[in-house]
Amino acid sequence: MQRLDGPDVRLVDYFDMIAGTSTGGLITAMLAAPGNDSKRPLCSAKDVVEFYLWYAGRVFPQAR
């Protein structure tokens, strides 16, 4: 979508409501949380992927 609508477009620009539970709730919060200096969301979908690649094992540890 960024190729069509520009680099500042975010998922929340296309939906009136997003929701989730467990990991979906974390993703929803990251995509919808407002940034510090604007009304734009704090994270992009790319940021969410990077977060999960780095923190998934800590957030959702596997039983050994």
Side-chain angles (χ1 to χ4, degrees), residues 20-43:
T21 60
S22 186
T23 192
L26 290 174
I27 293 170
T28 297
M30 292 178 74
L31 292 174
N36 295 333
D37 58 348
S38 70
K39 293 183 180 182
R40 305 299 299 149
L42 184 63
C43 299

Side-chain angles (χ1 to χ4, degrees), residues 50-60:
E50 291 174 5
F51 172 86
Y52 269 87
L53 289 174
W54 185 256
Y55 290 106
R58 295 178 186 119
V59 174
F60 301 104

